[in-house]
Amino acid sequence: FVIVAWIWLKRFQSKEADSLNRSTVTSSDYTICVRGIDPETTEEQLEAHFKGIVGDEQVAEVHLAFANSKEISLYFKRGKLMRKRYDCIQVRVFCRCHIG
């Protein structure tokens, strides 16, 4: 009985997830990714361009994103190093004050 119930639950869960995905509207449903844009291009210029193609009411908002995951990763590494440095300094200060 447990195996049959488990199989039914897996099927039900899969169908329910598909149904929820179809009935839920997210920003990714209306988001496009355009690569190779000149770095000097502004959001206003892109918005005007797309509105000229599809019409004013079809463009809700335009936002630029940058592929800077490497920089973010380096900032995280820097933060960890700074934390280790701070911890080392605190240990050194503690030892100097309490040991002598």
Side-chain angles (χ1 to χ4, degrees), residues 11-98:
R11 284 186 181 170
F12 175 78
Q13 181 181 7
S14 178
K15 288 180 182 179
E16 190 67 17
D18 289 341
S19 174
L20 285 172
N21 190 29
R22 282 192 303 272
S23 64
T24 304
V25 178
T26 64
S27 61
S28 64
D29 295 333
Y30 298 96
T31 302
I32 63 170
C33 177
V34 181
R35 298 179 189 272
I37 297 173
D38 181 12
E40 301 299 318
T41 304
T42 66
E43 291 177 349
E44 291 79 17
Q45 291 170 324
L46 282 175
E47 185 173 358
H49 172 76
F50 286 116
K51 283 183 176 182
I53 294 173
V54 298
D56 285 347
E57 58 277 342
Q58 296 294 322
V59 179
E61 294 179 20
V62 173
H63 297 285
L64 294 174
F66 302 95
N68 57 357
S69 60
K70 290 181 183 177
E71 291 175 67
I72 293 170
S73 175
L74 289 173
Y75 278 114
F76 274 110
K77 287 180 183 178
R78 179 179 180 266
K80 288 178 183 178
L81 287 173
M82 294 299 290
R83 182 65 192 185
K84 285 182 181 179
R85 179 178 180 264
Y86 175 80
D87 291 344
C88 287
I89 291 171
Q90 294 303 309
V91 167
R92 196 169 161 200
V93 168
F94 178 80
C95 289
R96 190 180 315 152
C97 291
H98 296 291

